[in-house]
């Protein structure tokens, strides 16, 4: 997915999300307005029915203040409000507008607020108009909040759903980016693998051609030299193929290693011998300090051998001048500690966070002769994990890198 296309998709989604929020806001205001109107209409219809019933039962204005059944008025209003879809119990007051006082109220403490209520209905018992102005006043506490709560409930639900969609959208984009990165790394892996295998194959082919030359084959020293080259390159191919196969197997959660007592020092000596020709061609050297005593541990010999080979190979590949590798062993806190130090180009702080990731390759600036699959250090970290050990690195650009592997005995 190209960058401009990702920006386009994100922009379209952002515009759509903002538009939905704006539409929902105006829709909520419209809903609130409609609910407010319906509420007022419902109260008006209920009170029309209440007053109609009261006018049918009252005998006169004077009796309204003396013999009037106030409890019946309260229950009648609540009943009619329910019939009109309003589930609220209002404060009720019977107000004498001429005298400026309440003849009755459900709560005398709220009479001041009740007097200012807009829900005021003229009460004329039996249709007789008198000198006194009698009103039935209703007070709905927090009416506006009640209506807003019903209206905003759907808005909150909509915003919550939009938030879920946004999170899923971000996760999808992130997943696509990861998949794209993995696809790119796999493509680079295939390219690197092709070039990595072609080099030893070409070297072996050239050596075989030279051995077929009679003048070369008759010289014992030259013949032994070419046979040594073939053997070294064959060993290199074997380790490369083995690393790839074992790395693939380790992806299986049920993968298990075959542990037994292993002496690590012969494995180190064997690895140093396999790089003898490579180091000689580049004028490099390997220095060993095998101080661990005892030097045996409970481990998988094959994987432990490949671990050492990968660490040494990594140090040689990332050395610009004559490679100088130092391998040391020691016993620390009843654990076998293996250190492989090089004096190469080093690893940046940013790359150090990712060196053990599969297919990740350390950036080398303008150096283009460094080959590899990007699985060597990932394989090493997996081997260490399967042996219940730890691995760490110390590195500075231009100073080299030291890998420290700690394994339980």
């Amino acid at each position: 997915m190209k960058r401009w296309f990702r920006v386009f998709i994100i922009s379209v989604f952002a515009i759509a999300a903002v538009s939905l929020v704006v539409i929902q806001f105006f829709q909520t205001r419209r809903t609130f307005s409609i609910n407010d109107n319906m509420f007022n209409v419902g109260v008006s219809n209920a009170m029309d029915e209440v007053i109609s019933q009261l006018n049918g039962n009252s005998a006169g204005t004077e009796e309204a203040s003396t013999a009037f059944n106030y409890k019946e008025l309260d229950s009648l209003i609540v009943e009619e409000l329910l019939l009109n879809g309003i589930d609220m119990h209002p404060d009720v007051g019977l107000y004498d507008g001429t005298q400026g006082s309440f003849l009755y109220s459900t709560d005398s403490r709220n009479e001041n607020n009740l007097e200012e209520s807009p829900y005021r209905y003229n009460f004329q018992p039996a249709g007789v108009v008198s000198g006194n102005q009698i009103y039935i006043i209703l007070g709905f506490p927090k009416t506006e909040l009640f209506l807003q709560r019903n209206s905003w409930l759907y808005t909150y639900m909509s915003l919550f759903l939009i938030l879920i969609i946004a999170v899923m959208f971000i996760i999808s984009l992130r997943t696509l980016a990861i998949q794209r990165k993995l696809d790119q790394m796999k493509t680079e892996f295939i390219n690197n693998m092709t070039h990595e295998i072609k080099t030893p194959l070409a070297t072996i082919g050239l050596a075989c051609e030279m051995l077929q030359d009679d003048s070369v084959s008759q010289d014992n020293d030259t013949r032994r030299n070419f046979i040594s080259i073939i053997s070294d390159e064959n060993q290199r191919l074997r380790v490369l193929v083995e690393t790839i196969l074992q790395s693939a197997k380790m992806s299986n959660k049920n993968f298990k290693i075959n542990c037994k007592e292993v002496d690590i020092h012969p494995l180190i000596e064997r690895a140093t011998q396999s790089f003898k020709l490579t180091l000689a061609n580049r004028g490099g050297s390997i220095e060993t300090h095998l101080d661990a005593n005892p030097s045996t541990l409970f481990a998988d010999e094959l994987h432990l051998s490949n671990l050492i080979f990968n660490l040494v190979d990594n140090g040689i590949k990332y050395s610009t001048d004559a490679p100088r590798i130092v391998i040391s062993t020691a016993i620390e806190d009843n654990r076998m500690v293996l250190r492989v130090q090089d004096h190469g180009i080093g690893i940046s702080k940013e790359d150090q966070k990712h060196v053990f990731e599969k297919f990740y390759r350390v950036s080398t600036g303008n150096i283009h002769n460094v080959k590899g699959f990007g699985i060597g250090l990932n394989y090493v970290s997996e081997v260490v994990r399967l042996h219940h050990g730890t691995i760490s690195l110390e590195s500075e650009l231009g100073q080299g890198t030291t890998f420290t592997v700690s394994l339980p005995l």
Side-chain angles (χ1 to χ4, degrees):
M1 187 185 297
K2 294 184 178 180
R3 180 183 177 85
W4 68 266
F5 186 70
R6 292 202 305 271
V7 173
F8 173 75
I9 291 295
I10 294 173
S11 300
V12 170
F13 177 80
I15 293 172
V18 172
S19 299
L20 281 174
V21 172
V22 172
I23 291 172
Q24 189 64 43
F25 174 74
F26 284 106
Q27 183 64 28
T28 300
R29 291 188 61 181
R30 183 171 178 272
T31 302
F32 175 72
S33 178
I34 293 173
N35 288 344
D36 188 49
N37 291 334
M38 292 179 64
F39 181 83
N40 291 332
V41 170
V43 173
S44 180
N45 290 338
M47 290 309 300
D48 287 343
E49 182 63 27
V50 168
I51 291 174
S52 174
Q53 293 185 35
L54 290 176
N55 285 339
N57 296 333
S58 301
T61 305
E62 294 298 329
E63 294 182 5
S65 61
T66 57
F68 190 80
N69 190 337
Y70 299 119
K71 291 185 178 180
E72 181 182 349
L73 173 65
D74 190 32
S75 61
L76 183 61
I77 290 174
V78 171
E79 180 181 350
E80 289 299 328
L81 287 175
L82 283 173
L83 291 176
N84 283 271
I86 301 173
D87 186 14
M88 293 184 71
H89 198 141
D91 292 332
V92 180
L94 195 62
Y95 184 72
D96 188 337
T98 304
Q99 300 294 328
S101 61
F102 280 92
L103 303 175
Y104 162 77
S105 65
T106 54
D107 190 347
S108 58
R109 294 171 299 178
N110 291 331
E111 287 184 355
N112 290 334
N113 294 330
L114 195 62
E115 191 173 351
E116 298 175 358
S117 173
Y119 300 100
R120 179 182 299 236
Y121 303 92
N122 193 9
F123 178 38
Q124 297 176 352
V128 178
V129 179
S130 66
N132 291 359
Q133 294 181 334
I134 308 299
Y135 299 98
I136 297 176
I137 302 178
L138 305 182
F140 294 94
K142 301 181 181 178
T143 306
E144 193 169 313
L145 293 178
F146 173 78
L147 296 175
Q148 285 180 348
R149 182 178 60 191
N150 291 340
S151 301
W152 283 102
L153 175 64
Y154 299 102
T155 301
Y156 294 144
M157 291 178 62
S158 299
L159 291 176
F160 179 69
L161 291 175
I162 291 173
L163 179 62
I164 291 177
I165 294 172
V167 170
M168 296 305 297
F169 178 77
I170 293 172
I171 292 175
S172 300
L173 282 181
R174 183 178 176 83
T175 303
L176 286 174
I178 293 173
Q179 291 296 328
R180 179 175 176 272
K181 183 179 179 181
L182 286 175
D183 184 62
Q184 183 179 356
M185 287 192 299
K186 286 183 178 181
T187 301
E188 291 177 356
F189 166 73
I190 293 172
N191 293 335
N192 292 330
M193 182 179 66
T194 303
H195 288 91
E196 189 79 5
I197 293 178
K198 281 175 66 177
T199 300
L201 287 176
T203 304
I204 292 173
L206 180 60
C208 289
E209 289 180 9
M210 295 300 294
L211 287 173
Q212 291 174 354
D213 191 325
D214 293 336
S215 61
V216 173
S217 62
Q218 292 177 1
D219 187 337
N220 291 334
D221 291 337
T222 304
R223 186 174 68 253
R224 280 194 296 268
N225 185 43
F226 281 119
I227 292 174
S228 177
I229 291 174
I230 293 173
S231 177
D232 289 342
E233 294 299 327
N234 180 67
Q235 172 70 5
R236 182 178 181 83
L237 276 174
R238 186 193 69 79
V239 173
L240 289 174
V241 172
E242 189 67 30
T243 300
I244 295 171
L245 292 176
Q246 294 301 330
S247 178
K249 289 180 181 179
M250 286 180 180
S251 299
N252 188 345
K253 293 182 179 179
N254 297 323
F255 179 81
K256 294 182 179 179
I257 55 178
N258 182 24
C259 292
K260 61 181 181 179
E261 281 194 1
V262 178
D263 192 335
I264 193 173
H265 289 170
L267 300 183
I268 295 173
E269 294 291 351
R270 195 183 308 161
T272 57
Q273 287 297 320
S274 65
F275 289 103
K276 185 177 180 180
L277 181 62
T278 302
L279 290 169
N281 292 334
R282 295 182 58 182
S285 63
I286 290 185
E287 182 180 341
T288 58
H289 300 281
L290 309 181
D291 300 326
N293 186 19
S295 59
T296 58
L297 69 160
F298 201 65
D300 187 301
E301 183 176 358
L302 173 63
H303 292 296
L304 187 58
S305 178
N306 289 340
L307 177 149
I308 297 168
F309 184 93
N310 275 283
L311 289 178
V312 176
D313 182 59
N314 193 75
I316 294 174
K317 285 192 300 185
Y318 288 94
S319 295
T320 54
D321 300 324
R324 180 167 169 255
I325 310 298
V326 178
I327 306 175
S328 63
T329 61
I331 301 297
E332 298 177 6
D333 297 327
N334 200 34
R335 295 172 71 89
M336 175 66 69
V337 177
L338 167 69
R339 290 185 176 87
V340 179
Q341 180 183 9
D342 66 66
H343 296 78
I345 62 175
I347 304 174
S348 68
K349 295 295 183 182
E350 182 61 30
D351 284 326
Q352 289 180 30
K353 302 175 184 177
H354 307 285
V355 290
F356 297 115
E357 295 177 4
K358 201 168 189 177
F359 301 126
Y360 187 85
R361 298 190 66 210
V362 174
S363 56
T364 55
N366 295 324
I367 302 172
H368 300 286
N369 60 342
V370 178
K371 302 174 183 178
F373 298 154
I375 63 173
L377 290 179
N378 174 260
Y379 171 77
V380 167
S381 67
E382 286 297 309
V383 172
V384 172
R385 180 184 64 82
L386 289 170
H387 284 84
H388 306 289
T390 60
I391 183 170
S392 61
L393 68 91
E394 296 177 5
S395 183
E396 291 185 17
L397 289 175
Q399 301 297 319
T401 303
T402 300
F403 285 95
T404 302
V405 176
S406 176
L407 300 174
L409 296 177

